[in-house]
mmCIF file with all atom_site columns, all heavy atoms in Angstrom:
data_model
loop_
_atom_site.group_PDB
_atom_site.id
_atom_site.type_symbol
_atom_site.label_atom_id
_atom_site.label_alt_id
_atom_site.label_comp_id
_atom_site.label_asym_id
_atom_site.label_entity_id
_atom_site.label_seq_id
_atom_site.pdbx_PDB_ins_code
_atom_site.Cartn_x
_atom_site.Cartn_y
_atom_site.Cartn_z
_atom_site.occupancy
_atom_site.B_iso_or_equiv
_atom_site.pdbx_formal_charge
_atom_site.auth_seq_id
_atom_site.auth_comp_id
_atom_site.auth_asym_id
_atom_site.auth_atom_id
_atom_site.pdbx_PDB_model_num
ATOM 1   N N   . SER Q 1 37 ? -60.483 66.207 10.104 1.00 0.00 ? 37 SER Q N   1
ATOM 2   C CA  . SER Q 1 37 ? -60.457 65.089 11.038 1.00 0.00 ? 37 SER Q CA  1
ATOM 3   C C   . SER Q 1 37 ? -59.027 64.582 11.246 1.00 0.00 ? 37 SER Q C   1
ATOM 4   O O   . SER Q 1 37 ? -58.302 64.358 10.241 1.00 0.00 ? 37 SER Q O   1
ATOM 5   C CB  . SER Q 1 37 ? -61.406 64.002 10.643 1.00 0.00 ? 37 SER Q CB  1
ATOM 6   O OG  . SER Q 1 37 ? -61.257 62.864 11.412 1.00 0.00 ? 37 SER Q OG  1
ATOM 7   N N   . ARG Q 1 38 ? -58.656 64.309 12.501 1.00 0.00 ? 38 ARG Q N   1
ATOM 8   C CA  . ARG Q 1 38 ? -57.319 63.773 12.743 1.00 0.00 ? 38 ARG Q CA  1
ATOM 9   C C   . ARG Q 1 38 ? -57.375 62.262 13.004 1.00 0.00 ? 38 ARG Q C   1
ATOM 10  O O   . ARG Q 1 38 ? -56.421 61.654 13.466 1.00 0.00 ? 38 ARG Q O   1
ATOM 11  C CB  . ARG Q 1 38 ? -56.716 64.488 13.906 1.00 0.00 ? 38 ARG Q CB  1
ATOM 12  C CG  . ARG Q 1 38 ? -56.211 65.896 13.553 1.00 0.00 ? 38 ARG Q CG  1
ATOM 13  C CD  . ARG Q 1 38 ? -55.893 66.686 14.728 1.00 0.00 ? 38 ARG Q CD  1
ATOM 14  N NE  . ARG Q 1 38 ? -55.331 67.970 14.337 1.00 0.00 ? 38 ARG Q NE  1
ATOM 15  C CZ  . ARG Q 1 38 ? -56.010 68.994 13.802 1.00 0.00 ? 38 ARG Q CZ  1
ATOM 16  N NH1 . ARG Q 1 38 ? -57.309 68.887 13.599 1.00 0.00 ? 38 ARG Q NH1 1
ATOM 17  N NH2 . ARG Q 1 38 ? -55.366 70.076 13.431 1.00 0.00 ? 38 ARG Q NH2 1
ATOM 18  N N   . GLN Q 1 39 ? -58.544 61.658 12.688 1.00 0.00 ? 39 GLN Q N   1
ATOM 19  C CA  . GLN Q 1 39 ? -58.685 60.229 12.832 1.00 0.00 ? 39 GLN Q CA  1
ATOM 20  C C   . GLN Q 1 39 ? -57.794 59.525 11.813 1.00 0.00 ? 39 GLN Q C   1
ATOM 21  O O   . GLN Q 1 39 ? -57.811 59.857 10.594 1.00 0.00 ? 39 GLN Q O   1
ATOM 22  C CB  . GLN Q 1 39 ? -60.110 59.785 12.594 1.00 0.00 ? 39 GLN Q CB  1
ATOM 23  C CG  . GLN Q 1 39 ? -60.346 58.358 12.370 1.00 0.00 ? 39 GLN Q CG  1
ATOM 24  C CD  . GLN Q 1 39 ? -60.126 57.487 13.590 1.00 0.00 ? 39 GLN Q CD  1
ATOM 25  O OE1 . GLN Q 1 39 ? -60.225 57.987 14.692 1.00 0.00 ? 39 GLN Q OE1 1
ATOM 26  N NE2 . GLN Q 1 39 ? -59.828 56.226 13.407 1.00 0.00 ? 39 GLN Q NE2 1
ATOM 27  N N   . ARG Q 1 40 ? -56.961 58.555 12.228 1.00 0.00 ? 40 ARG Q N   1
ATOM 28  C CA  . ARG Q 1 40 ? -56.088 57.747 11.350 1.00 0.00 ? 40 ARG Q CA  1
ATOM 29  C C   . ARG Q 1 40 ? -56.708 56.383 11.197 1.00 0.00 ? 40 ARG Q C   1
ATOM 30  O O   . ARG Q 1 40 ? -56.692 55.599 12.123 1.00 0.00 ? 40 ARG Q O   1
ATOM 31  C CB  . ARG Q 1 40 ? -54.705 57.737 11.875 1.00 0.00 ? 40 ARG Q CB  1
ATOM 32  C CG  . ARG Q 1 40 ? -53.965 59.054 11.852 1.00 0.00 ? 40 ARG Q CG  1
ATOM 33  C CD  . ARG Q 1 40 ? -52.530 58.997 12.380 1.00 0.00 ? 40 ARG Q CD  1
ATOM 34  N NE  . ARG Q 1 40 ? -51.747 58.158 11.498 1.00 0.00 ? 40 ARG Q NE  1
ATOM 35  C CZ  . ARG Q 1 40 ? -50.504 57.824 11.772 1.00 0.00 ? 40 ARG Q CZ  1
ATOM 36  N NH1 . ARG Q 1 40 ? -49.956 58.188 12.946 1.00 0.00 ? 40 ARG Q NH1 1
ATOM 37  N NH2 . ARG Q 1 40 ? -49.796 57.064 10.925 1.00 0.00 ? 40 ARG Q NH2 1
ATOM 38  N N   . THR Q 1 41 ? -57.174 56.086 10.033 1.00 0.00 ? 41 THR Q N   1
ATOM 39  C CA  . THR Q 1 41 ? -57.820 54.770 9.805  1.00 0.00 ? 41 THR Q CA  1
ATOM 40  C C   . THR Q 1 41 ? -56.742 53.654 9.700  1.00 0.00 ? 41 THR Q C   1
ATOM 41  O O   . THR Q 1 41 ? -56.886 52.587 10.281 1.00 0.00 ? 41 THR Q O   1
ATOM 42  C CB  . THR Q 1 41 ? -58.583 54.752 8.507  1.00 0.00 ? 41 THR Q CB  1
ATOM 43  O OG1 . THR Q 1 41 ? -59.651 55.802 8.652  1.00 0.00 ? 41 THR Q OG1 1
ATOM 44  C CG2 . THR Q 1 41 ? -59.288 53.427 8.275  1.00 0.00 ? 41 THR Q CG2 1
ATOM 45  N N   . ILE Q 1 42 ? -55.631 53.911 9.026  1.00 0.00 ? 42 ILE Q N   1
ATOM 46  C CA  . ILE Q 1 42 ? -54.589 52.950 8.794  1.00 0.00 ? 42 ILE Q CA  1
ATOM 47  C C   . ILE Q 1 42 ? -53.350 53.441 9.611  1.00 0.00 ? 42 ILE Q C   1
ATOM 48  O O   . ILE Q 1 42 ? -52.812 54.529 9.345  1.00 0.00 ? 42 ILE Q O   1
ATOM 49  C CB  . ILE Q 1 42 ? -54.164 52.824 7.330  1.00 0.00 ? 42 ILE Q CB  1
ATOM 50  C CG1 . ILE Q 1 42 ? -55.435 52.423 6.563  1.00 0.00 ? 42 ILE Q CG1 1
ATOM 51  C CG2 . ILE Q 1 42 ? -53.074 51.773 7.198  1.00 0.00 ? 42 ILE Q CG2 1
ATOM 52  C CD1 . ILE Q 1 42 ? -56.088 51.116 6.886  1.00 0.00 ? 42 ILE Q CD1 1
ATOM 53  N N   . LEU Q 1 43 ? -52.951 52.656 10.643 1.00 0.00 ? 43 LEU Q N   1
ATOM 54  C CA  . LEU Q 1 43 ? -51.885 53.076 11.482 1.00 0.00 ? 43 LEU Q CA  1
ATOM 55  C C   . LEU Q 1 43 ? -50.737 52.044 11.452 1.00 0.00 ? 43 LEU Q C   1
ATOM 56  O O   . LEU Q 1 43 ? -50.822 50.987 12.077 1.00 0.00 ? 43 LEU Q O   1
ATOM 57  C CB  . LEU Q 1 43 ? -52.381 53.257 12.919 1.00 0.00 ? 43 LEU Q CB  1
ATOM 58  C CG  . LEU Q 1 43 ? -51.393 53.709 13.948 1.00 0.00 ? 43 LEU Q CG  1
ATOM 59  C CD1 . LEU Q 1 43 ? -50.835 55.087 13.602 1.00 0.00 ? 43 LEU Q CD1 1
ATOM 60  C CD2 . LEU Q 1 43 ? -52.017 53.781 15.315 1.00 0.00 ? 43 LEU Q CD2 1
ATOM 61  N N   . PRO Q 1 44 ? -49.649 52.278 10.673 1.00 0.00 ? 44 PRO Q N   1
ATOM 62  C CA  . PRO Q 1 44 ? -48.519 51.341 10.709 1.00 0.00 ? 44 PRO Q CA  1
ATOM 63  C C   . PRO Q 1 44 ? -47.843 51.282 12.083 1.00 0.00 ? 44 PRO Q C   1
ATOM 64  O O   . PRO Q 1 44 ? -47.891 52.326 12.818 1.00 0.00 ? 44 PRO Q O   1
ATOM 65  C CB  . PRO Q 1 44 ? -47.571 51.957 9.627  1.00 0.00 ? 44 PRO Q CB  1
ATOM 66  C CG  . PRO Q 1 44 ? -48.436 52.843 8.832  1.00 0.00 ? 44 PRO Q CG  1
ATOM 67  C CD  . PRO Q 1 44 ? -49.486 53.382 9.725  1.00 0.00 ? 44 PRO Q CD  1
ATOM 68  N N   . LEU Q 1 45 ? -47.215 50.197 12.417 1.00 0.00 ? 45 LEU Q N   1
ATOM 69  C CA  . LEU Q 1 45 ? -46.587 50.098 13.678 1.00 0.00 ? 45 LEU Q CA  1
ATOM 70  C C   . LEU Q 1 45 ? -45.220 49.444 13.388 1.00 0.00 ? 45 LEU Q C   1
ATOM 71  O O   . LEU Q 1 45 ? -45.105 48.268 13.190 1.00 0.00 ? 45 LEU Q O   1
ATOM 72  C CB  . LEU Q 1 45 ? -47.363 49.237 14.623 1.00 0.00 ? 45 LEU Q CB  1
ATOM 73  C CG  . LEU Q 1 45 ? -47.004 49.310 16.124 1.00 0.00 ? 45 LEU Q CG  1
ATOM 74  C CD1 . LEU Q 1 45 ? -47.229 50.699 16.688 1.00 0.00 ? 45 LEU Q CD1 1
ATOM 75  C CD2 . LEU Q 1 45 ? -47.809 48.311 16.919 1.00 0.00 ? 45 LEU Q CD2 1
ATOM 76  N N   . GLY Q 1 46 ? -44.175 50.221 13.356 1.00 0.00 ? 46 GLY Q N   1
ATOM 77  C CA  . GLY Q 1 46 ? -42.845 49.784 12.941 1.00 0.00 ? 46 GLY Q CA  1
ATOM 78  C C   . GLY Q 1 46 ? -42.911 49.317 11.468 1.00 0.00 ? 46 GLY Q C   1
ATOM 79  O O   . GLY Q 1 46 ? -43.337 50.054 10.602 1.00 0.00 ? 46 GLY Q O   1
ATOM 80  N N   . VAL Q 1 49 ? -47.498 47.034 8.555  1.00 0.00 ? 49 VAL Q N   1
ATOM 81  C CA  . VAL Q 1 49 ? -48.484 47.968 7.940  1.00 0.00 ? 49 VAL Q CA  1
ATOM 82  C C   . VAL Q 1 49 ? -49.801 47.239 7.613  1.00 0.00 ? 49 VAL Q C   1
ATOM 83  O O   . VAL Q 1 49 ? -49.757 46.203 6.949  1.00 0.00 ? 49 VAL Q O   1
ATOM 84  C CB  . VAL Q 1 49 ? -47.914 48.607 6.629  1.00 0.00 ? 49 VAL Q CB  1
ATOM 85  C CG1 . VAL Q 1 49 ? -48.915 49.544 5.992  1.00 0.00 ? 49 VAL Q CG1 1
ATOM 86  C CG2 . VAL Q 1 49 ? -46.553 49.295 6.921  1.00 0.00 ? 49 VAL Q CG2 1
ATOM 87  N N   . PRO Q 1 50 ? -50.916 47.710 8.027  1.00 0.00 ? 50 PRO Q N   1
ATOM 88  C CA  . PRO Q 1 50 ? -52.166 47.060 7.684  1.00 0.00 ? 50 PRO Q CA  1
ATOM 89  C C   . PRO Q 1 50 ? -52.342 46.957 6.192  1.00 0.00 ? 50 PRO Q C   1
ATOM 90  O O   . PRO Q 1 50 ? -52.070 47.835 5.422  1.00 0.00 ? 50 PRO Q O   1
ATOM 91  C CB  . PRO Q 1 50 ? -53.229 48.006 8.284  1.00 0.00 ? 50 PRO Q CB  1
ATOM 92  C CG  . PRO Q 1 50 ? -52.528 48.699 9.423  1.00 0.00 ? 50 PRO Q CG  1
ATOM 93  C CD  . PRO Q 1 50 ? -51.136 48.893 8.892  1.00 0.00 ? 50 PRO Q CD  1
ATOM 94  N N   . VAL Q 1 58 ? -63.161 49.997 4.909  1.00 0.00 ? 58 VAL Q N   1
ATOM 95  C CA  . VAL Q 1 58 ? -62.849 50.285 6.252  1.00 0.00 ? 58 VAL Q CA  1
ATOM 96  C C   . VAL Q 1 58 ? -63.443 51.667 6.552  1.00 0.00 ? 58 VAL Q C   1
ATOM 97  O O   . VAL Q 1 58 ? -63.061 52.647 5.909  1.00 0.00 ? 58 VAL Q O   1
ATOM 98  C CB  . VAL Q 1 58 ? -61.302 50.314 6.518  1.00 0.00 ? 58 VAL Q CB  1
ATOM 99  C CG1 . VAL Q 1 58 ? -61.016 50.682 7.949  1.00 0.00 ? 58 VAL Q CG1 1
ATOM 100 C CG2 . VAL Q 1 58 ? -60.735 48.910 6.235  1.00 0.00 ? 58 VAL Q CG2 1
ATOM 101 N N   . ALA Q 1 59 ? -64.349 51.783 7.493  1.00 0.00 ? 59 ALA Q N   1
ATOM 102 C CA  . ALA Q 1 59 ? -65.016 53.029 7.798  1.00 0.00 ? 59 ALA Q CA  1
ATOM 103 C C   . ALA Q 1 59 ? -64.051 54.078 8.224  1.00 0.00 ? 59 ALA Q C   1
ATOM 104 O O   . ALA Q 1 59 ? -63.014 53.778 8.866  1.00 0.00 ? 59 ALA Q O   1
ATOM 105 C CB  . ALA Q 1 59 ? -66.100 52.818 8.834  1.00 0.00 ? 59 ALA Q CB  1
ATOM 106 N N   . PRO Q 1 60 ? -64.276 55.344 7.986  1.00 0.00 ? 60 PRO Q N   1
ATOM 107 C CA  . PRO Q 1 60 ? -63.359 56.421 8.333  1.00 0.00 ? 60 PRO Q CA  1
ATOM 108 C C   . PRO Q 1 60 ? -63.064 56.500 9.844  1.00 0.00 ? 60 PRO Q C   1
ATOM 109 O O   . PRO Q 1 60 ? -61.985 56.937 10.241 1.00 0.00 ? 60 PRO Q O   1
ATOM 110 C CB  . PRO Q 1 60 ? -64.043 57.683 7.841  1.00 0.00 ? 60 PRO Q CB  1
ATOM 111 C CG  . PRO Q 1 60 ? -64.977 57.263 6.765  1.00 0.00 ? 60 PRO Q CG  1
ATOM 112 C CD  . PRO Q 1 60 ? -65.451 55.851 7.119  1.00 0.00 ? 60 PRO Q CD  1
ATOM 113 N N   . SER Q 1 61 ? -64.017 56.083 10.666 1.00 0.00 ? 61 SER Q N   1
ATOM 114 C CA  . SER Q 1 61 ? -63.813 56.137 12.163 1.00 0.00 ? 61 SER Q CA  1
ATOM 115 C C   . SER Q 1 61 ? -63.316 54.830 12.712 1.00 0.00 ? 61 SER Q C   1
ATOM 116 O O   . SER Q 1 61 ? -63.110 54.729 13.906 1.00 0.00 ? 61 SER Q O   1
ATOM 117 C CB  . SER Q 1 61 ? -65.119 56.540 12.837 1.00 0.00 ? 61 SER Q CB  1
ATOM 118 O OG  . SER Q 1 61 ? -66.110 55.594 12.581 1.00 0.00 ? 61 SER Q OG  1
ATOM 119 N N   . ALA Q 1 62 ? -63.054 53.861 11.855 1.00 0.00 ? 62 ALA Q N   1
ATOM 120 C CA  . ALA Q 1 62 ? -62.472 52.568 12.350 1.00 0.00 ? 62 ALA Q CA  1
ATOM 121 C C   . ALA Q 1 62 ? -60.932 52.751 12.315 1.00 0.00 ? 62 ALA Q C   1
ATOM 122 O O   . ALA Q 1 62 ? -60.414 53.649 11.712 1.00 0.00 ? 62 ALA Q O   1
ATOM 123 C CB  . ALA Q 1 62 ? -62.814 51.418 11.416 1.00 0.00 ? 62 ALA Q CB  1
ATOM 124 N N   . THR Q 1 63 ? -60.237 51.855 13.056 1.00 0.00 ? 63 THR Q N   1
ATOM 125 C CA  . THR Q 1 63 ? -58.753 51.963 13.133 1.00 0.00 ? 63 THR Q CA  1
ATOM 126 C C   . THR Q 1 63 ? -58.170 50.548 12.978 1.00 0.00 ? 63 THR Q C   1
ATOM 127 O O   . THR Q 1 63 ? -58.505 49.633 13.674 1.00 0.00 ? 63 THR Q O   1
ATOM 128 C CB  . THR Q 1 63 ? -58.278 52.562 14.474 1.00 0.00 ? 63 THR Q CB  1
ATOM 129 O OG1 . THR Q 1 63 ? -58.948 53.867 14.644 1.00 0.00 ? 63 THR Q OG1 1
ATOM 130 C CG2 . THR Q 1 63 ? -56.803 52.734 14.488 1.00 0.00 ? 63 THR Q CG2 1
ATOM 131 N N   . LEU Q 1 64 ? -57.235 50.443 12.019 1.00 0.00 ? 64 LEU Q N   1
ATOM 132 C CA  . LEU Q 1 64 ? -56.431 49.248 11.824 1.00 0.00 ? 64 LEU Q CA  1
ATOM 133 C C   . LEU Q 1 64 ? -55.044 49.521 12.262 1.00 0.00 ? 64 LEU Q C   1
ATOM 134 O O   . LEU Q 1 64 ? -54.408 50.467 11.752 1.00 0.00 ? 64 LEU Q O   1
ATOM 135 C CB  . LEU Q 1 64 ? -56.475 48.773 10.420 1.00 0.00 ? 64 LEU Q CB  1
ATOM 136 C CG  . LEU Q 1 64 ? -57.840 48.578 9.743  1.00 0.00 ? 64 LEU Q CG  1
ATOM 137 C CD1 . LEU Q 1 64 ? -57.677 48.047 8.324  1.00 0.00 ? 64 LEU Q CD1 1
ATOM 138 C CD2 . LEU Q 1 64 ? -58.805 47.757 10.563 1.00 0.00 ? 64 LEU Q CD2 1
ATOM 139 N N   . ILE Q 1 65 ? -54.461 48.725 13.109 1.00 0.00 ? 65 ILE Q N   1
ATOM 140 C CA  . ILE Q 1 65 ? -53.166 49.005 13.666 1.00 0.00 ? 65 ILE Q CA  1
ATOM 141 C C   . ILE Q 1 65 ? -52.195 47.782 13.444 1.00 0.00 ? 65 ILE Q C   1
ATOM 142 O O   . ILE Q 1 65 ? -52.535 46.679 13.866 1.00 0.00 ? 65 ILE Q O   1
ATOM 143 C CB  . ILE Q 1 65 ? -53.203 49.311 15.169 1.00 0.00 ? 65 ILE Q CB  1
ATOM 144 C CG1 . ILE Q 1 65 ? -54.198 50.467 15.407 1.00 0.00 ? 65 ILE Q CG1 1
ATOM 145 C CG2 . ILE Q 1 65 ? -51.821 49.645 15.749 1.00 0.00 ? 65 ILE Q CG2 1
ATOM 146 C CD1 . ILE Q 1 65 ? -54.528 50.672 16.931 1.00 0.00 ? 65 ILE Q CD1 1
ATOM 147 N N   . ALA Q 1 80 ? -64.870 50.546 14.973 1.00 0.00 ? 80 ALA Q N   1
ATOM 148 C CA  . ALA Q 1 80 ? -64.191 49.296 15.277 1.00 0.00 ? 80 ALA Q CA  1
ATOM 149 C C   . ALA Q 1 80 ? -62.679 49.570 15.405 1.00 0.00 ? 80 ALA Q C   1
ATOM 150 O O   . ALA Q 1 80 ? -62.112 50.387 14.673 1.00 0.00 ? 80 ALA Q O   1
ATOM 151 C CB  . ALA Q 1 80 ? -64.490 48.284 14.224 1.00 0.00 ? 80 ALA Q CB  1
ATOM 152 N N   . VAL Q 1 81 ? -62.021 48.765 16.253 1.00 0.00 ? 81 VAL Q N   1
ATOM 153 C CA  . VAL Q 1 81 ? -60.539 48.800 16.333 1.00 0.00 ? 81 VAL Q CA  1
ATOM 154 C C   . VAL Q 1 81 ? -60.010 47.420 16.190 1.00 0.00 ? 81 VAL Q C   1
ATOM 155 O O   . VAL Q 1 81 ? -60.430 46.465 16.909 1.00 0.00 ? 81 VAL Q O   1
ATOM 156 C CB  . VAL Q 1 81 ? -60.170 49.377 17.746 1.00 0.00 ? 81 VAL Q CB  1
ATOM 157 C CG1 . VAL Q 1 81 ? -58.650 49.333 17.915 1.00 0.00 ? 81 VAL Q CG1 1
ATOM 158 C CG2 . VAL Q 1 81 ? -60.654 50.813 17.958 1.00 0.00 ? 81 VAL Q CG2 1
ATOM 159 N N   . ILE Q 1 82 ? -59.065 47.275 15.215 1.00 0.00 ? 82 ILE Q N   1
ATOM 160 C CA  . ILE Q 1 82 ? -58.411 45.979 15.001 1.00 0.00 ? 82 ILE Q CA  1
ATOM 161 C C   . ILE Q 1 82 ? -56.925 46.223 15.303 1.00 0.00 ? 82 ILE Q C   1
ATOM 162 O O   . ILE Q 1 82 ? -56.261 46.902 14.510 1.00 0.00 ? 82 ILE Q O   1
ATOM 163 C CB  . ILE Q 1 82 ? -58.637 45.451 13.572 1.00 0.00 ? 82 ILE Q CB  1
ATOM 164 C CG1 . ILE Q 1 82 ? -60.142 45.291 13.361 1.00 0.00 ? 82 ILE Q CG1 1
ATOM 165 C CG2 . ILE Q 1 82 ? -57.962 44.089 13.433 1.00 0.00 ? 82 ILE Q CG2 1
ATOM 166 C CD1 . ILE Q 1 82 ? -60.521 44.815 12.003 1.00 0.00 ? 82 ILE Q CD1 1
#
Side-chain angles (χ1 to χ4, degrees):
S37 171
R38 286 167 174 75
Q39 166 70 25
R40 294 180 64 184
T41 300
I42 305 298
L43 182 61
L45 195 63
V49 180
V58 178
S61 59
T63 304
L64 309 185
I65 304 169
V81 176
I82 303 180

